[in-house]
Amino acid sequence: MKDKCECARLYYMEGMLQKEIAAKVGVSQQSLSRWVDEGRWATLRAGVNITRPELVNKALGAVNMLLDRIYQSDDPQLIATLPDQLAKFASFIDKLDKKANVVSTIDVFIAFSKWVRHRATFDPEITPEFISLLDKYQDLYINENMSKK
């Protein structure tokens, strides 16, 4: 059952629908749903699938919305908050830039993991155990090497 759970997790992380995963792995949708909830797979998948450029674009979009709202307002208190809010956005974007090495490394690991998972569909040497071990060592690398910076 542990192998089925791990295989299901890998499919889930690739973005496959739960109904498809349950059928492919051979478990009930209820069991799969329980695994997703207990393992917090949705949170993990969201973390894996968002990229640095997407974060920057979202931050810039939020700045644009803030500027539109303030320019359309006659509220002096709202207008007075503009410098502070812009400084917070600038700080956020600056932090993203400083963590570019971490994010770039994670982006490479994500791309490589997706390639390995795709290759696993036709390469019998790539097993769920191999993928799990690969994930483990990628996480260790990030935790040991990137947290030092």
Side-chain angles (χ1 to χ4, degrees), residues 13-120:
M13 295 304 282
E14 289 176 3
M16 191 179 285
L17 297 174
Q18 287 189 30
K19 185 176 182 177
E20 294 173 41
I21 297 169
K24 196 166 194 160
V25 175
V27 296
S28 69
Q29 289 185 25
Q30 292 82 3
S31 292
L32 181 62
S33 182
R34 188 179 70 249
W35 292 346
V36 169
D37 292 342
E38 289 173 358
R40 298 184 11 235
W41 294 357
T43 303
L44 294 172
R45 182 168 67 182
V48 166
N49 290 323
I50 194 160
T51 65
R52 181 183 170 278
E54 288 172 325
L55 286 173
V56 170
N57 285 338
K58 286 178 188 276
L60 293 174
V63 168
N64 191 43
M65 287 178 15
L66 170 68
L67 291 173
D68 286 347
R69 199 172 98 220
I70 287 175
Y71 289 141
Q72 294 171 3
S73 173
D74 292 330
D75 182 357
Q77 287 182 323
L78 183 62
I79 294 168
T81 66
L82 180 62
D84 182 54
Q85 291 187 44
L86 288 176
K88 287 178 182 175
F89 279 113
S91 175
F92 171 74
I93 292 170
D94 185 49
K95 286 178 184 175
L96 282 177
D97 284 339
K98 287 180 181 171
K99 293 188 177 195
N101 285 339
V102 174
V103 175
S104 297
T105 300
I106 292 170
D107 284 344
V108 169
F109 281 167
I110 289 169
F112 182 69
S113 292
K114 285 181 180 180
W115 176 81
V116 168
R117 284 170 174 76
H118 168 72
R119 186 153 181 93

